[in-house]
Amino acid sequence: MLTYRALGPSDLEALFTVGQQFHAESRNYKGLSMDEARTRRILTVFLDNEMVRVFGAFNAETLVGFIAAEVTPDPWSDRAVAHEHLMYVSPAYRSAGVGRALATLFVQWAGTWDAAIRMTIDSGVDDAKAVSMLEGLGLERRGTIMGREVN
C-alpha cells in the first residue's frame, strides 16, 4: 500500500536518489551533468522552507515519486502563485494513481495559501495522460510552453 506525506530534511537522500532517476530519464536533462553537492544543497533548502513543499509517495519506506513546488507572491496582484517545479513518478508506479495523488496534495497545499496554480507538463512521458489527469483536478490549459536548455 502506498502512503503520501510531506518530505522533511531527513528525506534528503531518498529524494536525491529518486531525483537522479528523474535526471537520467528526462529529455530536458539528457547529456547534462549534475553537481551532486549543489543539488543536495538546493534540496536541503527545499526541504526546510515553509514556502516550498515536497510531497512524496512511498511504498513502505521507499520513495517512488514526488512533487516539488513553491509559493511566491505575485508581483502584479495581491495574491500568491504556487509553482510546481517538477513531479516525477518512478516508471513501475505510473498509471497507478500516484501522479494524481501527488498533484492533489499540491493543489490542496496551494489552497492553504489561497494561491493560483501553475503546473508545467514538459517531460515527454505520457504528456496526454498528465494533461487529462490535471484537467480532472480542475486545472485548465493556458498557452504554450516554450523552452530552450542552456548548454
Side-chain angles (χ1 to χ4, degrees):
M1 179 176 150
L2 297 178
T3 58
Y4 300 87
R5 64 175 173 80
L7 303 186
S10 66
D11 297 303
L12 174 63
E13 288 308 311
L15 180 58
F16 181 80
T17 298
V18 176
Q20 286 179 304
Q21 293 171 10
F22 159 77
H23 185 271
E25 185 178 345
S26 174
R27 69 179 176 195
N28 294 329
Y29 292 93
K30 286 200 187 312
L32 297 178
S33 63
M34 180 179 70
D35 180 330
E36 292 185 11
R38 178 182 175 274
T39 299
R40 280 188 173 88
R41 282 193 307 273
I42 293 168
L43 293 178
T44 297
V45 170
F46 274 24
L47 294 172
D48 196 27
N49 181 332
E50 74 175 58
M51 303 290 284
V52 179
R53 189 60 42 101
V54 182
F55 292 103
F58 290 84
N59 182 353
E61 298 298 315
T62 302
L63 183 66
V64 299
F66 67 92
I67 186 168
E70 78 178 304
V71 66
T72 60
D74 183 339
W76 313 113
S77 73
D78 293 332
R79 68 178 184 184
V81 179
H83 300 271
E84 166 257 351
H85 284 286
L86 70 95
M87 180 167 64
Y88 177 76
V89 177
S90 297
Y93 295 89
R94 293 184 188 150
S95 297
V98 175
R100 181 179 187 81
L102 291 168
T104 298
L105 289 169
F106 165 62
V107 168
Q108 291 170 345
W109 176 73
T112 67
W113 291 91
D114 196 27
I117 296 171
R118 303 289 183 264
M119 291 188 78
T120 303
I121 300 170
D122 187 30
S123 67
V125 178
D126 295 330
D127 285 356
K129 283 184 181 179
V131 167
S132 177
M133 181 262 299
L134 294 175
E135 287 175 337
L137 294 176
L139 279 70
E140 56 191 42
R141 293 175 193 234
R142 294 188 181 167
T144 302
I145 299 169
M146 306 294 289
R148 182 181 89 187
E149 296 306 315
V150 177
N151 294 329

